[in-house]
Amino acid sequence: LLFTMRPRRLLVVFGIIVLCANGALLYSLFSDYRKQPQENVLNSLAIVRDNRRYVVDVTHPAVMTEIKHEPTRDRQRQRDADKKRPTITENVRKAAEVTGNRKPEVRVPRKESLRNESEAKIESKVEQMEGKQAVRVHSQSDDDVLPVLVLACDRTSVKRCLDLLIKYRPSVEHHPIIVSQDCGHAPTAAVIQSYGDQIKHIQQPDLSDIVMEGTAKNRLLQGYYKISRHYKWALTQVFDVMKFKAVVIVEDDLDIAGDFFEYFIATRRVLVKDPSLWCVSAWSDNGKQNFIDSSKPDLLYRSDFFPGLGWMLTSSLWDELRDKWPKAFWDDWMRDSAQRKGRACLRPEIPRTDTFGRVGVSRGQFFDKHLKFIVLNSQAVHFTEKDLSYLMKDEYDRHYLDDVYSVPLISAEQLHSGSIADNTVRVEYHSNNEFVQLAQRVGIMADLKDRVPRMAYKGVVSFMFHSHRVYLTRPQGQTEYYTDKPKIRVT
């Protein structure tokens, strides 16, 4: 057909073909130019040849540099796969579900920062934004969250307790503060609500009086029944409704030390690992200035006696106690051997809580003589950086008890006369009555609960006396607590 055409028409056909080819080439070049950002876009173009991509220097068209990326088809497949990946918004939503609708911290690169960067840097940032690489969305597992439950009633001084908790807590997300209020006292509720979203305020719905049969003295005990009812309701909310795995309980009349949270974060690991433990307490009944070693703020003990007053329990323990929770005197009930089952608590040498609540249901029992003299730790200890494995039962029993029974044995008379040659000594008691005598004479807490002296472990009570470490112990080999009832009245 071309040979039969006239020369003029032939030139027209060739011209059209050339124009179409050039147009297609320019369209291809322009499309790739728009898709492929380069650092020097004014002096270079991106073209595709044989399914490979090249950069062509406009000033030197003969120079083409191959771009070492995947072929165009593979890149398109990658873009399609990226569309199916979760976006930043989806990741934030999932993290919020994990943290209980608390807003996680998300850091997304600003779009402006993507400009004028090399293709490699751009791709890296895009991958972070779209989830191709791990996006640093702050979320935590259940094991990371340790809430504080504050039990409040009708004391507006709860503000003092809350101020310290908020001041010292290291993370809002990891340590939510839940204030459970009984009594329906409006001024106290107003104080609690003034903290806004810094805390969570829940209110005990059952404010009814508890019918107490018998004498007027029995009716005066109604407050103990209400406290026990409130505890059960609050713990049900924390464990059964909010689904936390562990909680630290404080009452509204407690001060806390600066390393309060550090202490519980670290000891929680031991509590979870060791089935012979069932709680951790920040309290020591013998935490008066004369009875503690101020140079050892990091010293911790095991205790058969339940201390309370700032203590931690796990959801598994709550599962055990929930259905048999007592109607009154919950703390003494916790000290009963039927609940303790041979398990121990952890407690510090120097307390991490003290109480300022002289007025309360107990009407100041022990406050003026003991509680107001308890020393609050002032030397922060980084417990999370320490190895606390020595508190595990097997290791603790082997080393601690060996150390205790290896020190010199002296008589009570030698102790009180001050004729002590050694820095650490041991004094034996052979009955509960004898223990009460010794304890009252030196000034430590002398009462027992279900045969267990306060702060005792395996019958050993440790304290400082005139700059000497003293262990009150049973005779070596005596494995059971004494059963006799003290004849001396405990004061």
Side-chain angles (χ1 to χ4, degrees), residues 239 245-247 271-272 278 312-319:
F239 288 124
K245 297 298 184 183
V247 68
L271 175 64
V272 171
W278 72 321
M312 173 171 58
L313 77 159
T314 63
S315 59
S316 59
L317 179 61
W318 176 242
D319 290 339

Side-chain angles (χ1 to χ4, degrees), residues 437-461:
Q437 284 182 312
L438 287 169
Q440 288 186 336
R441 194 168 177 183
V442 298
I444 63 173
M445 293 285 279
D447 64 323
L448 304 92
K449 299 292 182 182
D450 195 18
R451 304 177 296 136
V452 180
R454 287 183 182 265
M455 304 297 98
Y457 181 70
K458 305 294 185 183
V460 179
V461 178

Side-chain angles (χ1 to χ4, degrees), residues 36-53:
Q36 184 64 33
Q38 298 294 329
E39 291 187 357
N40 192 6
V41 295
L42 296 179
N43 295 325
S44 62
L45 291 174
I47 65 173
V48 178
R49 287 290 182 271
D50 299 325
N51 216 22
R52 296 178 182 273
R53 295 189 298 158

Side-chain angles (χ1 to χ4, degrees), residues 9 57 118 158 238 264 310 326 348 354 394 416:
R9 291 183 180 178
D57 191 334
S118 66
V158 66
V238 169
F264 279 110
D354 72 355
D394 290 343
H416 293 297

Side-chain angles (χ1 to χ4, degrees), residues 457-475:
Y457 181 70
K458 305 294 185 183
V460 179
V461 178
S462 173
F463 60 95
M464 298 297 294
F465 188 73
H466 298 314
S467 301
H468 297 273
R469 172 65 64 182
V470 178
Y471 298 116
L472 291 186
T473 76
R474 302 174 302 203

Side-chain angles (χ1 to χ4, degrees), residues 25 40-41 99 206 210 220 384:
L25 177 60
N40 192 6
V41 295
T99 59
D206 185 2
I210 296 173
L220 289 175
T384 55

Side-chain angles (χ1 to χ4, degrees), residues 44-113:
S44 62
L45 291 174
I47 65 173
V48 178
R49 287 290 182 271
D50 299 325
N51 216 22
R52 296 178 182 273
R53 295 189 298 158
Y54 298 87
V55 175
V56 181
D57 191 334
V58 175
T59 60
H60 299 87
V63 179
M64 294 196 303
T65 305
E66 182 180 356
I67 303 175
K68 297 295 185 180
H69 289 294
E70 68 273 18
T72 304
R73 292 179 183 175
D74 292 342
R75 189 170 182 81
Q76 184 60 42
R77 291 194 196 100
Q78 186 66 42
R79 290 196 188 100
D80 294 338
D82 287 345
K83 291 179 181 178
K84 298 178 182 179
R85 288 191 173 91
T87 62
I88 287 292
T89 303
E90 291 169 335
N91 281 330
V92 172
R93 176 180 55 77
K94 291 177 181 178
E97 291 174 357
V98 172
T99 59
N101 293 326
R102 294 179 289 273
K103 289 185 178 180
E105 298 175 4
V106 183
R107 298 197 175 199
V108 182
R110 296 178 60 187
K111 290 184 178 180
E112 291 80 356
S113 66

